[in-house]
């Protein structure tokens, strides 16, 4: 399964209170996102019955998007927005 439960967020130090400025997710929470991404890729391997090479992850995306998959000159990359992850 590719989902992170609210209890996992809470155990990783998620602050559920509202703030004017949202702080990015912690290193523990980033680890959960990395694990969930790996689980999703493993699930895709089962569905398509083939293996996929690991895709590097970065937490440097800004703006309104929560995440994006990018291919540039043959280099694949998944970028996540750590501020949006913290908000939800």
């Amino acid at each position: 399964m590719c989902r992170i439960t609210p209890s996992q967020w809470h155990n990783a130090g998620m602050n559920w209170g509202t703030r004017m400025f949202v702080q990015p997710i912690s290193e523990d929470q980033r680890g959960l996102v990395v694990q969930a991404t790996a689980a999703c890729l493993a699930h895709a391997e089962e569905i398509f019955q083939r293996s996929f090479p690991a895709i590097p992850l970065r937490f440097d995306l800004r703006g309104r998007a929560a995440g994006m998959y990018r291919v540039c000159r043959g280099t694949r990359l998944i970028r996540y927005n750590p501020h949006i992850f913290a908000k939800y």
Side-chain angles (χ1 to χ4, degrees):
M1 188 53 109
C2 301
R3 298 184 185 194
I4 299 172
T5 65
S7 63
Q8 287 174 312
W9 279 116
H10 178 71
N11 292 339
M14 180 64 187
N15 182 355
W16 292 101
T18 57
R19 293 184 177 176
M20 183 175 273
F21 298 102
V22 177
Q23 296 297 316
I25 58 176
S26 69
E27 290 298 320
D28 290 338
Q29 291 165 328
R30 287 180 185 208
L32 291 173
V33 173
V34 170
Q35 289 175 3
T37 302
C40 288
L41 289 173
H43 187 68
E45 288 177 346
E46 290 174 13
I47 291 172
F48 295 106
Q49 298 180 351
R50 61 166 286 202
S51 63
F52 295 104
I55 301 172
L57 302 179
R58 291 190 349 204
F59 291 88
D60 63 349
L61 189 60
R62 301 284 183 239
R64 297 172 66 181
M68 67 178 285
Y69 173 74
R70 178 179 171 187
V71 179
C72 183
R73 297 183 189 147
T75 301
R76 301 174 323 137
L77 177 67
I78 296 176
R79 296 176 65 201
Y80 288 124
N81 186 329
H83 297 276
I84 290 180
F85 272 95
K87 193 172 179 182
Y88 300 98

